[in-house]
Amino acid sequence: MTLPGSPFLARRGASLSLEQVELTDLARRFGTPLYAYSRNAMRAALAGYQRALAGRKHLICYAMKANSNLAVLQTFAQAGCGFDIVSAGELRRVLAAGASADKVVFSGVGKTRADMQAALEAGVLCFNVESQPELLLLSQVASAHGATARISLRVNPDVDARTHPYISTGLKGNKFGVAHEQALAVYRQAAELPGTEVAGIDCHIGSQITDIDPYIDAVDRLLDLVEAVEASGIPIHHVDMGGGLGITYTDETPPSAEALLGAVLARMDERGHGQREILLEPGRSLVGNAGVLLTEVLYLKPGEQKNFCIVDAAMNDLVRPAMYEAWMAIVPCELREQAAQRWDIVGPVCESGDWLGRDRDLAVRQGDVLAVLSAGAYGFAMSSNYNSRARAAEVMVDGNQVHLIRERESLTDLYALERLIP
Ligand SMILES: *Cc1c(COP(=O)(O)O)cnc(C)c1O
């Protein structure tokens, strides 16, 4: 079986390595469940976007909700990347990682007054405004601070990204963005209101998108609006195409960032918008294939209808299979010379939905370490303490170096904020 995803993950003999480090060694040293990331895989993914945009006015804003560990943010900030944030907590993380707010765009349908204040004080580059009432509140908050909020309207282009319904965001029925038909009126208002200044336009049509076409449809819809808004005397400086580029979990064949951007930029050129600054908000495609989740086989439980391979990672550690029925590759860190059997890989949580993979052919024994591949995006970031399980540790591999970038939670951390009643 070939491994989907990262060239930084390879089998040498029987052993699976991430960059120069054997995964079984990581599991032994740091325990399981353990998230392990390749720093050079992240750098390489970013470099793909940077190459495609070389010579253009651009800013790549990593959509940090995919993986918000400080060391991940630091890695991207050092490589010149900005950030797409969706909360004041994410803003605090960006600043804690040593990055500056002037490369931050602030997305999200439910920004609070406190979120806006924090972002204005930090001096974010742009607010991606998702509704008219949000615009009104932002104008109030900015005026009260004697500040000016640069804004971009997130427009819902009503294009079908043909992805999972939970991660499709650019259709009329979604909660995101301002409807295309209302956008011009909202831009007019933004240009008049005190405390706001129009900077750009943006969209984000979904996630795990594996076709170029929906992006080209979105470019056309956005440029139609740019032309209409500018014709009414309001200049638009940047066009933000959002994120959403998919990765290979199994047999998906998403375009590379270069291919996607080649097509997007060609379309912008064709329509005479080649000089315009372009912003992007990639999340999954920068980190997804850079990470694995390591988990130990606790018990093998063969049954009449199903064989269960019970591992020490669960839906609280990695929720994508339970939440989106996502298929993620699961492979042994050390190959065994024995016949494979068919297993459901399940965790210890008390829910039948607690599975990581179903009907997988694996040669495993109790005590073996398995790797769930392509777990670098929406893995740790979506983890929880359900069943009072402490969250996993995270390590960053860089060549032959290993850095512990998040300690395993302790059992007392689980209730540290709780109080008994006197
Ligand atoms: C989640 C999100 C992204 C990133 O999406 P990916 O599929 O991870 O690339 C970008 N922009 C916005 C507004 C988002 O909500």
Side-chain angles (χ1 to χ4, degrees), residues 63 65 84 107 154 204 206-208 243-245 281-284 378:
K65 72 178 193 282
D84 172 42
S107 300
R154 174 166 176 182
H204 171 68
S207 198
Q208 187 52 19
L245 179 58
E281 303 167 355
R284 187 190 312 269
Y378 306 107

Side-chain angles (χ1 to χ4, degrees), residues 159-162 205 209-219 241 245 253-265 267:
V159 299
D160 187 356
R162 284 173 247 144
I205 56 175
I209 300 169
T210 52
D211 296 329
I212 290 181
D213 297 352
Y215 283 98
I216 301 301
D217 293 346
V219 169
M241 291 305 302
L245 179 58
T253 50
S256 64
E258 287 95 326
L260 171 64
L261 284 168
V264 165
L265 295 173
R267 190 73 182 157

Side-chain angles (χ1 to χ4, degrees), residues 1-223:
M1 177 200 179
T2 58
L3 298 170
S6 177
F8 296 88
L9 186 69
R11 205 172 278 287
R12 296 190 185 89
S15 309
L16 193 60
S17 294
L18 192 60
E19 301 201 26
Q20 314 306 318
V21 178
E22 286 190 5
L23 291 177
T24 326
D25 289 345
L26 284 181
R28 205 172 297 132
R29 193 167 146 203
F30 297 98
T32 51
L34 178 72
Y35 276 96
Y37 311 120
S38 156
R39 199 169 191 202
N40 287 301
M42 293 183 185
R43 289 173 172 144
L46 177 65
Y49 279 93
Q50 289 171 329
R51 269 195 306 278
L53 291 165
R56 302 264 180 167
K57 277 185 285 180
H58 74 272
L59 182 63
I60 300 162
C61 295
Y62 166 53
M64 61 178 280
K65 72 178 193 282
N67 184 330
S68 57
N69 185 288
L70 294 188
V72 173
L73 306 183
Q74 176 190 29
T75 299
F76 287 126
Q78 285 171 352
C81 197
F83 299 94
D84 172 42
I85 65 167
V86 293
S87 68
E90 289 195 344
L91 176 59
R92 194 60 79 84
R93 281 180 176 274
V94 168
L95 301 175
S100 69
D102 60 6
K103 287 186 181 174
V104 168
V105 298
F106 194 168
S107 300
V109 289
K111 299 179 195 77
T112 64
R113 185 184 287 272
D115 288 340
M116 293 174 181
Q117 280 165 352
L120 285 166
E121 272 158 31
V124 299
L125 176 67
C126 188
F127 288 83
N128 290 344
V129 171
E130 301 220 13
S131 65
Q132 193 228 25
E134 180 191 334
L135 177 69
L136 297 178
L137 180 61
L138 181 58
S139 163
Q140 259 181 40
V141 174
S143 307
H145 271 67
T148 303
R150 284 169 297 274
I151 67 116
S152 166
L153 272 199
R154 174 166 176 182
V155 174
N156 184 335
D158 193 26
V159 299
D160 187 356
R162 284 173 247 144
T163 182
H164 189 284
Y166 286 9
I167 51 179
S168 181
T169 55
L171 278 168
K172 271 194 174 155
N174 295 128
K175 70 178 174 183
F176 300 101
V178 175
H180 198 270
E181 306 76 61
Q182 283 153 26
L184 180 57
V186 181
Y187 267 115
R188 285 214 172 99
Q189 197 172 16
E192 310 258 292
L193 281 170
T196 58
E197 178 185 298
V198 173
I201 190 165
D202 91 287
C203 71
H204 171 68
I205 56 175
S207 198
Q208 187 52 19
I209 300 169
T210 52
D211 296 329
I212 290 181
D213 297 352
Y215 283 98
I216 301 301
D217 293 346
V219 169
D220 278 332
R221 300 280 286 163
L222 244 53
L223 292 182

Side-chain angles (χ1 to χ4, degrees), residues 102-388:
D102 60 6
K103 287 186 181 174
V104 168
V105 298
F106 194 168
S107 300
V109 289
K111 299 179 195 77
T112 64
R113 185 184 287 272
D115 288 340
M116 293 174 181
Q117 280 165 352
L120 285 166
E121 272 158 31
V124 299
L125 176 67
C126 188
F127 288 83
N128 290 344
V129 171
E130 301 220 13
S131 65
Q132 193 228 25
E134 180 191 334
L135 177 69
L136 297 178
L137 180 61
L138 181 58
S139 163
Q140 259 181 40
V141 174
S143 307
H145 271 67
T148 303
R150 284 169 297 274
I151 67 116
S152 166
L153 272 199
R154 174 166 176 182
V155 174
N156 184 335
D158 193 26
V159 299
D160 187 356
R162 284 173 247 144
T163 182
H164 189 284
Y166 286 9
I167 51 179
S168 181
T169 55
L171 278 168
K172 271 194 174 155
N174 295 128
K175 70 178 174 183
F176 300 101
V178 175
H180 198 270
E181 306 76 61
Q182 283 153 26
L184 180 57
V186 181
Y187 267 115
R188 285 214 172 99
Q189 197 172 16
E192 310 258 292
L193 281 170
T196 58
E197 178 185 298
V198 173
I201 190 165
D202 91 287
C203 71
H204 171 68
I205 56 175
S207 198
Q208 187 52 19
I209 300 169
T210 52
D211 296 329
I212 290 181
D213 297 352
Y215 283 98
I216 301 301
D217 293 346
V219 169
D220 278 332
R221 300 280 286 163
L222 244 53
L223 292 182
D224 291 346
L225 254 179
V226 167
E227 288 164 9
V229 173
E230 293 202 322
S232 79
I234 303 166
I236 301 272
H237 300 288
H238 70 254
V239 174
D240 180 343
M241 291 305 302
L245 179 58
I247 63 172
T248 302
Y249 287 101
T250 163
D251 52 5
E252 304 92 336
T253 50
S256 64
E258 287 95 326
L260 171 64
L261 284 168
V264 165
L265 295 173
R267 190 73 182 157
M268 290 179 69
D269 289 348
E270 249 169 67
R271 294 196 47 167
H273 292 266
Q275 291 307 306
R276 219 170 267 286
E277 178 170 15
I278 183 159
L279 266 61
L280 294 170
E281 303 167 355
R284 187 190 312 269
S285 54
L286 291 183
V287 292
N289 284 142
V292 298
L293 172 63
L294 302 181
T295 182
E296 184 183 316
V297 176
L298 297 176
Y299 303 104
L300 294 177
K301 196 171 166 187
E304 260 177 40
Q305 294 186 359
K306 285 247 165 199
N307 298 323
F308 291 102
C309 171
I310 302 167
V311 297
D312 67 357
M315 64 188 289
N316 74 294
D317 300 298
L318 180 63
V319 79
R320 296 189 65 257
M323 187 153 142
Y324 312 114
E325 300 202 336
W327 194 98
M328 303 179 73
I330 302 175
V331 298
C333 290
E334 301 292 327
L335 289 181
R336 285 193 171 282
E337 299 281 335
Q338 71 180 49
Q341 272 183 286
R342 184 151 294 185
W343 302 98
D344 275 15
I345 318 295
V346 301
V349 161
C350 307
E351 300 268 349
S352 294
D354 179 29
W355 53 276
L356 298 177
R358 286 170 167 164
D359 297 322
R360 305 301 178 88
D361 294 327
L362 284 174
V364 276
R365 289 195 206 156
Q366 193 168 352
D368 283 0
V369 178
L370 302 179
V372 185
L373 307 188
S374 308
Y378 306 107
F380 186 90
M382 292 178 96
S383 65
S384 77
N385 293 121
Y386 187 41
N387 276 215
S388 284

